[in-house]
Amino acid sequence: MLKLAITAGIGSDHVDLDAAIKHGMTVAEVTYSNSISVAEHVVMMILGLVRNTSHRTRWCSTAAGTSGSSLSAQTRYAAGTREILESWLAGTPIRDEYLIVDGGRLAGVGAHSYSTRV
């Protein structure tokens, strides 16, 4: 059974937090690891709409799935993931900045930033 989910990001709306709480999972997010890439993507999407070029380019639809394409974004994600895994495997607390769900409830930053139906 899945016990830990680590996501990169800006928001974790792609993780079913209600299910994570129900099953006692831990959900952690390497916060802001890809913030520059997300901002770049939004600007390019806006430019594509303004110039009506979305029908000529396919990169817009594929770029949304990346977790930061720059080396610095990938480095931040790798470092954050390592820190989360080391804490989780050692049984020590994960930093509040990373936590969204832990012990069957919203935790850390997630307790202030997210809501659930559970």
Side-chain angles (χ1 to χ4, degrees):
M1 181 192 310
L2 186 64
K3 296 287 183 185
L4 173 67
I6 301 175
T7 181
I10 307 254
S12 289
D13 56 345
H14 55 282
V15 176
D16 187 342
L17 299 180
D18 291 319
I21 289 170
K22 180 181 175 184
H23 295 286
M25 284 181 57
T26 298
V27 179
E29 172 182 83
V30 183
T31 309
Y32 300 115
S33 66
N34 62 344
S35 57
I36 293 171
S37 295
V38 169
E40 290 169 343
H41 179 69
V42 169
V43 169
M44 295 309 292
M45 293 287 289
I46 291 169
L47 288 173
L49 290 171
V50 168
R51 295 191 153 285
N52 195 21
T53 60
S54 59
H55 64 280
R56 287 183 244 153
T57 57
R58 295 280 178 228
W59 65 268
C60 290
S61 61
T62 59
T66 61
S67 294
S69 55
S70 69
L71 182 57
S72 63
Q74 294 298 325
T75 302
R76 286 190 302 274
Y77 181 67
T81 299
R82 177 182 176 186
E83 182 182 339
I84 291 166
L85 284 172
E86 285 177 344
S87 295
W88 193 77
L89 291 170
T92 58
I94 296 170
R95 266 201 289 161
D96 279 349
E97 293 84 16
Y98 293 141
L99 271 180
I100 297 173
V101 172
D102 193 35
R105 62 180 174 72
L106 290 173
V109 173
H112 306 288
S113 305
Y114 296 92
S115 61
T116 63
R117 295 182 301 274
V118 176

